[in-house]
Each structure stands twice: as C-alpha cells, then as structure tokens.
Amino acid sequence: MQKNTEEKIFNYLQKHLSPKRFEHSYNVAEFAVELAGIYGADGLKAQTAGLLHDCAKSKTDKQLISFLKNRKSSIKYFKDIKKYSPQLLHAYAGAVIAKEKLGITDVDILNAIRNHTLGRQNMSMLEKIIFVSDAVSFDRKSKELLKIRKLALKDFEKAFFKVMARKIQYVLEENEWLCPQALDTWNYYVTQNKKNS
C-alpha cells in the first residue's frame, strides 16, 4: 500500500467509523495479514481489504439503499435485501466507496470487501480470508469463535465451512430473514467439497 493511499484509508475510516468499528477493522486486517502469510495470499491486499471491509457500516439503511439505487443491477438479491435486511448492503457499498472515494482498483480487494458478509461462488483465497477474518477477529470474544480462529491457522477450509455454517445458524436462531446469497454460497462449496472428496 502506498503511503498516501494508507493515509487516505486511515483518515476516511477515522472520520466515518465509530472507534469500536475502527478497532474491529484494524483487527480484521491484522488477522487477514497473518492468514495471508500462511496460505500464500498477498499480505498488502489482505491488509487493505481488511481495513476497508466495513467502511460503509456507519450508513443507515436508507443511506445504503439510496447510495446503491443506481447500482442495484449488480446486486443479485437487491430487492429482497433492501426489503428484509438492508444492513447487508454495507458490503456492496463498501466496495463502491473503496473504488470511487479511495482509488482502490484491484478487483480482488474489491471482491473481498463486497463478499465478506454473504460470500459467493468460486471465491478467491483473499475473499475467503476476509470472510473468515471478519467473523473471528480478535475483538470477537466468544469461545466458539476463538476455536474457529485457532482452526483457521491450521485448517483453513474447515474454518471457512464453520464460519459459513455459523453465519446461517445465527440468522436462523435470531428468526431473521436468510438471504438466498448465503445459501448459494453454502450449497456451492458443499457441492465442490463432495466433488473433491
């Protein structure tokens, strides 16, 4: 990351995120860099995507919908997400902010930001790393997450599956709307896993 880009990112995050959310983003970046080192992904990209993954998180539901209304064609379940769980749109808005306001042009970084919540089919290693790092970052204190975090250092694919399952399980336990995108991701990787076993 170039010095001026890094400065730009930190300035943007400090201005637009709460201290707690800023700390979370920093923790995600830190763990993402560690995982990148183990699994052969680009550490600089992991740091950038980790820092920026929640850069739109402070926007309200209305702001997110308004911000993305002209770009809805590129969001598969936009109408349903808008209606039932608009906060999910922060990941899509984050990728737009990273590109348009912070000059991030690397497609892998933008995809990692865009897909850190719901995932997608055929994710890159960087995308998976941000997906996992967000779920198990150091500021998340539950014993279950601590176990998955340790697992990620030894068996990344197993940890990735556990994060996917936990996200779906959490939504079901809260009696919330489950975005079909999360199921698309789950079914794709279950199928891939069966093909490869």
Side-chain angles (χ1 to χ4, degrees):
M1 207 187 317
Q2 290 177 342
K3 190 98 179 101
N4 60 343
T5 307
E6 193 175 350
E7 214 171 286
K8 221 174 175 182
I9 287 170
F10 273 97
N11 288 342
Y12 186 89
L13 295 179
Q14 282 176 325
K15 191 177 171 186
H16 292 91
L17 297 184
S18 68
K20 193 178 177 186
R21 182 63 54 187
F22 183 83
E23 185 195 356
H24 166 70
S25 299
Y26 184 84
N27 285 329
V28 171
E30 201 174 15
F31 193 53
V33 169
E34 188 176 353
L35 291 176
I38 297 169
Y39 299 109
D42 186 307
L44 213 49
K45 289 184 183 185
Q47 183 186 36
T48 306
L51 286 170
L52 289 175
H53 79 286
D54 270 353
C55 66
K57 194 74 175 176
S58 61
K59 287 184 182 294
T60 64
D61 293 354
K62 275 186 177 175
Q63 285 171 334
L64 286 169
I65 292 163
S66 166
F67 184 73
L68 290 167
K69 69 178 181 215
N70 298 324
R71 303 173 173 93
K72 61 180 181 248
S73 59
S74 64
I75 302 171
K76 193 173 179 185
Y77 297 104
F78 182 78
K79 276 185 183 171
D80 289 335
I81 295 172
K82 184 177 82 167
K83 189 174 178 182
Y84 301 115
S85 192
Q87 260 307 305
L88 291 174
L89 295 171
H90 81 273
Y92 301 95
V96 175
I97 288 167
K99 187 177 183 180
E100 294 182 2
K101 295 191 186 295
L102 298 165
I104 305 295
T105 55
D106 186 285
V107 173
D108 205 17
I109 294 173
L110 296 174
N111 281 338
I113 296 167
R114 181 184 170 89
N115 297 306
H116 78 268
T117 304
L118 297 168
R120 69 171 176 119
Q121 297 182 4
N122 203 24
M123 291 161 83
S124 69
M125 179 50 86
L126 180 64
E127 286 176 89
K128 286 180 171 182
I129 282 173
I130 301 304
F131 184 86
V132 170
S133 297
D134 175 41
V136 302
S137 64
F138 300 115
D139 50 295
R140 303 201 194 269
K141 304 294 184 192
S142 87
K143 283 181 182 175
E144 186 193 354
L145 292 177
L146 181 61
K147 278 182 188 171
I148 300 173
R149 189 156 67 234
K150 285 179 178 172
L151 179 64
L153 300 169
K154 296 181 295 189
D155 188 337
F156 184 78
E157 286 305 312
K158 204 176 262 187
F160 174 67
F161 266 89
K162 283 193 178 292
V163 168
M164 278 195 296
R166 194 180 184 284
K167 284 185 177 217
I168 292 168
Q169 185 185 357
Y170 176 79
V171 174
L172 296 176
E173 283 170 358
E174 294 294 309
N175 293 322
E176 297 288 345
W177 175 74
L178 179 59
C179 183
Q181 180 69 32
L183 285 176
D184 291 347
T185 304
W186 173 260
N187 287 334
Y188 172 80
Y189 281 101
V190 168
T191 308
Q192 290 301 109
N193 208 27
K194 288 194 186 305
K195 277 182 194 169
N196 297 331
S197 60

PDB file of all heavy atoms in Angstrom, residues 45 49 105-113 120 123-127:
ATOM      1  N   LYS A  45      -2.684  -6.743   0.071  1.00  0.00           N
ATOM      2  CA  LYS A  45      -4.101  -6.760  -0.338  1.00  0.00           C
ATOM      3  C   LYS A  45      -4.989  -7.155   0.842  1.00  0.00           C
ATOM      4  O   LYS A  45      -6.075  -6.598   1.040  1.00  0.00           O
ATOM      5  CB  LYS A  45      -4.314  -7.744  -1.492  1.00  0.00           C
ATOM      6  CG  LYS A  45      -3.735  -7.294  -2.815  1.00  0.00           C
ATOM      7  CD  LYS A  45      -4.105  -8.299  -3.896  1.00  0.00           C
ATOM      8  CE  LYS A  45      -3.496  -7.948  -5.242  1.00  0.00           C
ATOM      9  NZ  LYS A  45      -3.962  -8.861  -6.306  1.00  0.00           N
ATOM     10  N   ALA A  49      -7.985  -4.804   2.220  1.00  0.00           N
ATOM     11  CA  ALA A  49      -9.376  -5.303   2.239  1.00  0.00           C
ATOM     12  C   ALA A  49      -9.893  -5.413   3.670  1.00  0.00           C
ATOM     13  O   ALA A  49     -11.056  -5.093   3.949  1.00  0.00           O
ATOM     14  CB  ALA A  49      -9.452  -6.659   1.540  1.00  0.00           C
ATOM     15  N   THR A 105      -8.388   0.003  -7.070  1.00  0.00           N
ATOM     16  CA  THR A 105      -8.818  -0.550  -8.368  1.00  0.00           C
ATOM     17  C   THR A 105      -8.609  -2.065  -8.465  1.00  0.00           C
ATOM     18  O   THR A 105      -9.085  -2.690  -9.397  1.00  0.00           O
ATOM     19  CB  THR A 105      -8.050   0.131  -9.525  1.00  0.00           C
ATOM     20  OG1 THR A 105      -6.643  -0.007  -9.271  1.00  0.00           O
ATOM     21  CG2 THR A 105      -8.406   1.606  -9.631  1.00  0.00           C
ATOM     22  N   ASP A 106      -7.905  -2.629  -7.503  1.00  0.00           N
ATOM     23  CA  ASP A 106      -7.626  -4.068  -7.541  1.00  0.00           C
ATOM     24  C   ASP A 106      -8.929  -4.856  -7.361  1.00  0.00           C
ATOM     25  O   ASP A 106      -9.616  -4.734  -6.337  1.00  0.00           O
ATOM     26  CB  ASP A 106      -6.634  -4.428  -6.431  1.00  0.00           C
ATOM     27  CG  ASP A 106      -6.196  -5.878  -6.508  1.00  0.00           C
ATOM     28  OD1 ASP A 106      -6.998  -6.755  -6.132  1.00  0.00           O
ATOM     29  OD2 ASP A 106      -5.059  -6.132  -6.946  1.00  0.00           O
ATOM     30  N   VAL A 107      -9.271  -5.665  -8.358  1.00  0.00           N
ATOM     31  CA  VAL A 107     -10.554  -6.382  -8.370  1.00  0.00           C
ATOM     32  C   VAL A 107     -10.663  -7.367  -7.208  1.00  0.00           C
ATOM     33  O   VAL A 107     -11.734  -7.532  -6.611  1.00  0.00           O
ATOM     34  CB  VAL A 107     -10.753  -7.116  -9.730  1.00  0.00           C
ATOM     35  CG1 VAL A 107     -11.993  -7.999  -9.701  1.00  0.00           C
ATOM     36  CG2 VAL A 107     -10.877  -6.098 -10.850  1.00  0.00           C
ATOM     37  N   ASP A 108      -9.562  -8.025  -6.861  1.00  0.00           N
ATOM     38  CA  ASP A 108      -9.587  -8.999  -5.775  1.00  0.00           C
ATOM     39  C   ASP A 108      -9.886  -8.324  -4.430  1.00  0.00           C
ATOM     40  O   ASP A 108     -10.660  -8.845  -3.623  1.00  0.00           O
ATOM     41  CB  ASP A 108      -8.254  -9.755  -5.720  1.00  0.00           C
ATOM     42  CG  ASP A 108      -8.389 -11.143  -5.075  1.00  0.00           C
ATOM     43  OD1 ASP A 108      -9.530 -11.656  -4.955  1.00  0.00           O
ATOM     44  OD2 ASP A 108      -7.348 -11.717  -4.698  1.00  0.00           O
ATOM     45  N   ILE A 109      -9.309  -7.154  -4.199  1.00  0.00           N
ATOM     46  CA  ILE A 109      -9.597  -6.400  -2.967  1.00  0.00           C
ATOM     47  C   ILE A 109     -11.065  -5.980  -2.951  1.00  0.00           C
ATOM     48  O   ILE A 109     -11.763  -6.140  -1.941  1.00  0.00           O
ATOM     49  CB  ILE A 109      -8.691  -5.150  -2.846  1.00  0.00           C
ATOM     50  CG1 ILE A 109      -7.225  -5.557  -2.669  1.00  0.00           C
ATOM     51  CG2 ILE A 109      -9.144  -4.259  -1.683  1.00  0.00           C
ATOM     52  CD1 ILE A 109      -6.234  -4.386  -2.712  1.00  0.00           C
ATOM     53  N   LEU A 110     -11.542  -5.457  -4.069  1.00  0.00           N
ATOM     54  CA  LEU A 110     -12.943  -5.008  -4.146  1.00  0.00           C
ATOM     55  C   LEU A 110     -13.909  -6.167  -3.948  1.00  0.00           C
ATOM     56  O   LEU A 110     -14.916  -6.035  -3.244  1.00  0.00           O
ATOM     57  CB  LEU A 110     -13.198  -4.303  -5.486  1.00  0.00           C
ATOM     58  CG  LEU A 110     -12.403  -3.006  -5.715  1.00  0.00           C
ATOM     59  CD1 LEU A 110     -12.617  -2.484  -7.126  1.00  0.00           C
ATOM     60  CD2 LEU A 110     -12.775  -1.933  -4.687  1.00  0.00           C
ATOM     61  N   ASN A 111     -13.597  -7.319  -4.534  1.00  0.00           N
ATOM     62  CA  ASN A 111     -14.439  -8.506  -4.335  1.00  0.00           C
ATOM     63  C   ASN A 111     -14.427  -8.968  -2.885  1.00  0.00           C
ATOM     64  O   ASN A 111     -15.441  -9.420  -2.348  1.00  0.00           O
ATOM     65  CB  ASN A 111     -13.983  -9.655  -5.236  1.00  0.00           C
ATOM     66  CG  ASN A 111     -14.480  -9.499  -6.661  1.00  0.00           C
ATOM     67  OD1 ASN A 111     -15.463  -8.798  -6.915  1.00  0.00           O
ATOM     68  ND2 ASN A 111     -13.810 -10.134  -7.598  1.00  0.00           N
ATOM     69  N   ALA A 112     -13.260  -8.880  -2.242  1.00  0.00           N
ATOM     70  CA  ALA A 112     -13.151  -9.300  -0.839  1.00  0.00           C
ATOM     71  C   ALA A 112     -14.014  -8.423   0.064  1.00  0.00           C
ATOM     72  O   ALA A 112     -14.645  -8.917   1.006  1.00  0.00           O
ATOM     73  CB  ALA A 112     -11.688  -9.262  -0.393  1.00  0.00           C
ATOM     74  N   ILE A 113     -14.063  -7.129  -0.237  1.00  0.00           N
ATOM     75  CA  ILE A 113     -14.912  -6.212   0.533  1.00  0.00           C
ATOM     76  C   ILE A 113     -16.380  -6.526   0.243  1.00  0.00           C
ATOM     77  O   ILE A 113     -17.200  -6.677   1.154  1.00  0.00           O
ATOM     78  CB  ILE A 113     -14.599  -4.740   0.167  1.00  0.00           C
ATOM     79  CG1 ILE A 113     -13.160  -4.384   0.571  1.00  0.00           C
ATOM     80  CG2 ILE A 113     -15.602  -3.787   0.838  1.00  0.00           C
ATOM     81  CD1 ILE A 113     -12.651  -3.074  -0.023  1.00  0.00           C
ATOM     82  N   ARG A 120     -19.778 -15.805  -1.971  1.00  0.00           N
ATOM     83  CA  ARG A 120     -20.268 -16.058  -3.331  1.00  0.00           C
ATOM     84  C   ARG A 120     -19.641 -17.357  -3.818  1.00  0.00           C
ATOM     85  O   ARG A 120     -18.770 -17.928  -3.159  1.00  0.00           O
ATOM     86  CB  ARG A 120     -19.889 -14.912  -4.269  1.00  0.00           C
ATOM     87  CG  ARG A 120     -18.390 -14.816  -4.555  1.00  0.00           C
ATOM     88  CD  ARG A 120     -18.101 -13.804  -5.650  1.00  0.00           C
ATOM     89  NE  ARG A 120     -16.669 -13.662  -5.851  1.00  0.00           N
ATOM     90  CZ  ARG A 120     -16.046 -13.934  -6.997  1.00  0.00           C
ATOM     91  NH1 ARG A 120     -16.712 -14.371  -8.047  1.00  0.00           N
ATOM     92  NH2 ARG A 120     -14.728 -13.755  -7.102  1.00  0.00           N
ATOM     93  N   MET A 123     -14.988 -18.139  -4.684  1.00  0.00           N
ATOM     94  CA  MET A 123     -14.255 -17.024  -4.078  1.00  0.00           C
ATOM     95  C   MET A 123     -12.748 -17.254  -4.190  1.00  0.00           C
ATOM     96  O   MET A 123     -12.277 -18.390  -4.151  1.00  0.00           O
ATOM     97  CB  MET A 123     -14.627 -16.895  -2.592  1.00  0.00           C
ATOM     98  CG  MET A 123     -16.045 -16.434  -2.353  1.00  0.00           C
ATOM     99  SD  MET A 123     -16.616 -16.804  -0.669  1.00  0.00           S
ATOM    100  CE  MET A 123     -15.948 -15.413   0.226  1.00  0.00           C
ATOM    101  N   SER A 124     -12.007 -16.159  -4.306  1.00  0.00           N
ATOM    102  CA  SER A 124     -10.546 -16.239  -4.288  1.00  0.00           C
ATOM    103  C   SER A 124     -10.090 -16.495  -2.847  1.00  0.00           C
ATOM    104  O   SER A 124     -10.869 -16.325  -1.893  1.00  0.00           O
ATOM    105  CB  SER A 124      -9.937 -14.929  -4.783  1.00  0.00           C
ATOM    106  OG  SER A 124     -10.173 -13.899  -3.829  1.00  0.00           O
ATOM    107  N   MET A 125      -8.830 -16.847  -2.672  1.00  0.00           N
ATOM    108  CA  MET A 125      -8.305 -17.049  -1.318  1.00  0.00           C
ATOM    109  C   MET A 125      -8.404 -15.761  -0.508  1.00  0.00           C
ATOM    110  O   MET A 125      -8.748 -15.782   0.670  1.00  0.00           O
ATOM    111  CB  MET A 125      -6.852 -17.551  -1.376  1.00  0.00           C
ATOM    112  CG  MET A 125      -6.229 -17.767   0.001  1.00  0.00           C
ATOM    113  SD  MET A 125      -7.224 -18.753   1.155  1.00  0.00           S
ATOM    114  CE  MET A 125      -6.727 -20.409   0.705  1.00  0.00           C
ATOM    115  N   LEU A 126      -8.143 -14.617  -1.137  1.00  0.00           N
ATOM    116  CA  LEU A 126      -8.249 -13.344  -0.419  1.00  0.00           C
ATOM    117  C   LEU A 126      -9.681 -13.112   0.062  1.00  0.00           C
ATOM    118  O   LEU A 126      -9.894 -12.701   1.210  1.00  0.00           O
ATOM    119  CB  LEU A 126      -7.796 -12.177  -1.301  1.00  0.00           C
ATOM    120  CG  LEU A 126      -7.869 -10.793  -0.642  1.00  0.00           C
ATOM    121  CD1 LEU A 126      -6.912 -10.692   0.537  1.00  0.00           C
ATOM    122  CD2 LEU A 126      -7.578  -9.686  -1.649  1.00  0.00           C
ATOM    123  N   GLU A 127     -10.657 -13.364  -0.782  1.00  0.00           N
ATOM    124  CA  GLU A 127     -12.065 -13.200  -0.391  1.00  0.00           C
ATOM    125  C   GLU A 127     -12.399 -14.077   0.813  1.00  0.00           C
ATOM    126  O   GLU A 127     -13.047 -13.633   1.765  1.00  0.00           O
ATOM    127  CB  GLU A 127     -12.985 -13.560  -1.559  1.00  0.00           C
ATOM    128  CG  GLU A 127     -13.032 -12.522  -2.668  1.00  0.00           C
ATOM    129  CD  GLU A 127     -13.875 -12.999  -3.830  1.00  0.00           C
ATOM    130  OE1 GLU A 127     -15.091 -12.741  -3.814  1.00  0.00           O
ATOM    131  OE2 GLU A 127     -13.341 -13.626  -4.751  1.00  0.00           O
TER     132      GLU A 127
END
